[in-house]
Amino acid sequence: MVESHFTVKYKVMVYGVFGLSTLLSFMLFFISSPDIVEPEPWNNLHSILIFLCAAVSLGIGCLLLFKMETIRIKSECIIFQKHVYASNIKEVPFKNYDYYKTIYEESENGEFEAVWLIKDEKMAKSFSSFQYSNFKELKEALNLKNRGQLHLSPMKQFLCKCGAKI
C-alpha cells in the first residue's frame, strides 16, 4: 500500500490562505461592526454587507483546506480520505476507472505533472506533483492502463475539470 504525502509548499499555501482569510474575516467582522449602543445593531444594510463579506472570505479560505485529501493506493482500490474530516473516506475500486493519462498542468509556480483518472471519457479524479511529494510512487502504484500523455490547453483543462469530455 502506498500512502500520499503532501508537499511542504502545498501545505504552506493552503494553511496560509486559510489563516489570511480567517484574519480578514475577523477584522471585517469585529473592527467594522456597528456600535454596540444601538438596540438592534445588525439590522441595517451596511452591517449585513460586512457580515456577508466576512463569511465569503472565510468560505473561500476554507475551500482549499476542505479539498485536501490523503490518497492510499492498494492493489485493488484507491482510498481517498479528507484531511479535515478524517471520517470522510471513499474507497474506489480500480474497475470504476477506465484508464489514466498524465498531463502537465500550468500554474503561477510553473508546470507540474498530474495524473487524471478517466471514466467514460471524463476526468473523474486527479492528483499532481504540486500536491504530493511522492507523486511518482503513487503513479507507479496505480493498477490501471496508462494511455500516455495528454496535451490540452489550459482552458480545455479547466473545462475538463468542470465535467467536459476530453
Side-chain angles (χ1 to χ4, degrees), residues 20-37:
L20 288 174
S21 69
T22 304
L23 181 67
L24 177 65
S25 65
F26 280 127
M27 285 175 56
L28 275 172
F29 190 71
F30 289 115
I31 294 174
S32 302
S33 66
D35 190 13
I36 298 174
V37 179

Side-chain angles (χ1 to χ4, degrees), residues 3-151:
E3 185 171 339
S4 64
H5 302 287
F6 294 111
T7 59
V8 174
K9 60 186 170 187
Y10 184 67
K11 281 197 277 191
V12 167
M13 181 195 70
V14 169
Y15 288 118
V17 167
F18 175 70
L20 288 174
S21 69
T22 304
L23 181 67
L24 177 65
S25 65
F26 280 127
M27 285 175 56
L28 275 172
F29 190 71
F30 289 115
I31 294 174
S32 302
S33 66
D35 190 13
I36 298 174
V37 179
E38 293 181 24
E40 294 178 359
W42 291 101
N43 65 351
N44 61 6
L45 182 63
H46 177 71
S47 301
I48 293 170
L49 287 175
I50 288 172
F51 176 75
L52 287 176
C53 287
V56 166
S57 67
L58 186 62
I60 289 172
C62 291
L63 282 178
L64 289 174
L65 191 61
F66 291 140
K67 196 174 179 181
M68 285 177 71
E69 59 188 8
T70 303
I71 299 172
R72 288 187 202 92
I73 300 178
K74 294 184 176 180
S75 60
E76 68 280 344
C77 66
I78 302 175
I79 301 169
F80 299 99
Q81 181 178 10
K82 294 290 184 184
H83 188 69
V84 174
Y85 297 115
S87 63
N88 187 354
I89 299 172
K90 185 177 179 184
E91 189 170 324
V92 183
F94 283 118
K95 66 181 178 181
N96 286 9
Y97 301 116
D98 298 331
Y99 56 91
Y100 77 91
K101 285 193 170 201
T102 58
I103 188 168
Y104 283 94
E105 297 176 341
E106 293 181 29
S107 74
E108 61 273 358
N109 298 324
E111 279 191 348
F112 298 97
E113 185 179 6
V115 167
W116 285 12
L117 303 171
I118 298 172
K119 175 70 175 174
D120 298 330
E121 296 302 316
K122 292 183 179 181
M123 184 194 71
K125 275 291 199 184
S126 69
F127 57 91
S128 75
S129 60
F130 177 73
Q131 296 169 318
Y132 301 104
S133 59
N134 60 341
F135 171 78
K136 291 186 187 215
E137 293 174 26
L138 292 170
K139 187 169 83 168
E140 290 170 0
L142 287 174
N143 194 9
L144 288 170
K145 185 175 181 181
N146 182 0
R147 292 255 178 111
Q149 186 82 16
L150 190 59
H151 301 284

